[in-house]
Amino acid sequence: MSIQTTKPGRDHRIDALRGLALIMMYVDHIPEDLLNRFTMRNVGFADAAEIFVLLAGYASWLAYGRKIAKDGLWSVTKKILHRCWKIYLFQMGLVLISLLSIYQWRRFWVLPVDFLEPELAHGYSIARQVWRLLLLDALPSNLNILPLYIILLGIFPLLYLLIKCRWWLAIGLSFVVWLVVNINPWFNFPNWLDPDGWFFNPFAWQFLFTIGIYGAIIAGKHQGSFPAYLWLKWFLSLYLLFSFFEAFPWQYWGLPDLRILHVPVPAKAYLSPLRLLDVVAIFYLVQSSERAKRFSEGKVGQFLALYGRHSLEIFSLSTVFDLWGRLMFASWGTSLWLQLIVNCMGVSLLYCLALHLDKKRAKLKARLNTNIP
C-alpha cells in the first residue's frame, strides 16, 4: 500500500471529537462530579481515553508522517523527540503541582488517608523515591496518560518504517502484541505504585494508536473521510446499540435493567476487544459522515474544536482542575453550588486558555507568512 497521500484541508471533525473527549476526561476524573453520569462511558464500553489515544495516532500521522518524505526521517524524528521531551516536562510539572497541592491542602483541611497513593502520602517517602517519578517508574493515579503518549509518540518512527515496508506487517505485529497482552496482562511496564504495572498498558494501547495512524492514511486518500459503506455503518451502529444497553447505568437512574447479556465491564488497562471495537466504531461513523463534518464546522463544533487544537495544554490544565475539584469535594461536600463552581469555572477557564493559544498560534502563523518572500 502506498502511503503517499494528498493533503486535505483541516478536518474539524478530528479537533471537535478530541475537544469533546478532553471535556469528558475533565468531568470523568472527578468521581463525585454529577456530570460524569452523562459522559460516553455511560453509553458504551469505551470512554474518552480511547478517543484521545486513537486521535493521537491519527494526528501524529498528519503532523509527522506526511512530512517525512519531504524533510527526511531523521529531521522529523528530532521533532518527535522534542515533542516527547515537552510532554515529559508537562508530566513532571503535573506531578509536582499535584503533590504540592495535596500536601498544602492537608495543612488546612482533613483528607481521606487514601486520597493519594500511600507511598506518596508522606514527604519523606517521595524524597527518597523521587528518581522513580523522574524515570516514570512511579505513576500516580490520574497522571498516567501522558507517559503513555510519550511511549506511543516515541515509537512512531518505527511504525512509519514498518508501514512503508508493508502496511499489513505494521498492523499485524501491532495486533499480535495487543493480543498477547490480552491473553497475559502481566506483560506491562513496571509501576512502583501499582504491582499490576502501568494502568494504561503501552503494549496494548499501541494497537489503538496504530489504528489511528492507519486511519489517517486511508482518510488522506479520500479527501479526509473514510469510505462510507452502508452495510458497515449498520453493523457498527447495531454494535454500539448493544454496547449502550450493556453499559448504561440502569440502576443508578432507577430504571429496569435492559442489559441483554450482562457482560462484565471490559478491562480498560489492557484495552479489551469490546472497548477497542467500541471506539473504532464511533470513529468510523464520525469520520465517514458528512453530517458530522457539517456539525464540526458549526458553532458548537467550532467551540469543541478550539479545545481539541491544543490538547496537551488543555489536558494538563484540566488535570490540575480535576485535582482541585476532588480536593474541594472531599473537604466541603458535593453541594449543587460547588458542582456548578467546579464545572462552570473549569470549562470556562479551559476555554480561555484555548482561545489564548489559538490567537497566539494565528499571530505566529501570520508573522511567518509575512516573512516568506
Side-chain angles (χ1 to χ4, degrees), residues 118-318:
E119 296 87 349
L120 301 181
H122 304 287
Y124 66 86
S125 296
I126 191 58
R128 292 201 305 263
Q129 304 295 340
V130 64
W131 65 272
R132 295 185 181 274
L133 293 170
L134 294 175
L135 295 178
L136 303 180
D137 182 52
L139 299 183
S141 299
N142 288 350
L143 296 177
N144 41 30
I145 198 166
L146 288 186
L148 172 68
Y149 194 12
I150 294 173
I151 298 298
L152 298 180
L153 195 56
I155 66 172
F156 180 86
L158 175 60
L159 289 173
Y160 176 87
L161 292 176
L162 288 173
I163 292 172
K164 186 176 180 180
C165 177
R166 293 288 187 274
W167 70 268
W168 51 265
L169 179 63
I171 294 291
L173 288 176
S174 182
F175 169 78
V176 168
V177 174
W178 168 81
L179 184 61
V180 168
V181 176
N182 272 262
I183 295 174
N184 293 299
W186 60 265
F187 188 49
N188 195 356
F189 284 15
N191 182 4
W192 180 63
L193 300 175
D194 187 345
D196 293 329
W198 284 24
F199 178 76
F200 294 102
N201 189 325
F203 294 106
W205 285 73
Q206 55 78 30
F207 185 43
L208 186 57
F209 184 79
T210 303
I211 291 174
I213 294 174
Y214 184 66
I217 296 174
I218 295 299
K221 294 177 175 294
H222 298 86
Q223 291 75 48
S225 296
F226 293 152
Y229 300 111
L230 185 60
W231 65 270
L232 184 56
K233 286 188 174 185
W234 272 106
F235 171 76
L236 295 179
S237 296
L238 289 174
Y239 175 77
L240 290 178
L241 184 63
F242 164 75
S243 176
F244 166 78
F245 279 104
E246 291 295 319
F248 189 81
W250 302 103
Q251 293 181 347
Y252 176 81
W253 293 104
L255 298 172
D257 191 342
L258 299 181
R259 286 180 294 172
I260 303 172
L261 300 179
H262 295 265
V263 176
V265 178
K268 183 176 182 178
Y270 47 89
L271 191 63
S272 70
L274 292 177
R275 300 183 75 101
L276 178 65
L277 182 56
D278 200 278
V279 65
V280 169
I282 293 172
F283 190 53
Y284 175 81
L285 292 175
V286 169
Q287 206 60 19
S288 63
S289 169
E290 286 298 319
R291 183 176 298 177
K293 187 174 184 179
R294 291 193 298 270
F295 172 83
S296 69
E297 295 168 351
K299 291 183 178 180
V300 176
Q302 287 300 296
F303 172 81
L304 296 173
L306 184 64
Y307 292 88
R309 286 194 290 269
H310 309 282
S311 57
L312 176 59
E313 294 83 0
I314 296 300
F315 173 79
S316 299
L317 184 59
S318 70

Side-chain angles (χ1 to χ4, degrees), residues 73-114:
L73 179 61
W74 176 239
S75 176
V76 174
T77 299
K78 288 191 292 185
K79 293 180 180 178
I80 292 174
L81 293 176
H82 182 268
R83 180 68 173 177
C84 289
W85 174 247
K86 182 178 180 179
I87 298 171
Y88 175 82
L89 293 179
F90 269 73
Q91 170 70 10
M92 292 301 105
L94 289 176
V95 170
L96 181 61
I97 292 173
S98 298
L99 293 175
L100 289 177
S101 296
I102 294 173
Y103 293 154
Q104 290 301 314
W105 193 275
R106 279 190 169 137
R107 294 179 59 188
F108 303 98
W109 292 282
V110 176
L111 288 176
V113 294
D114 59 347

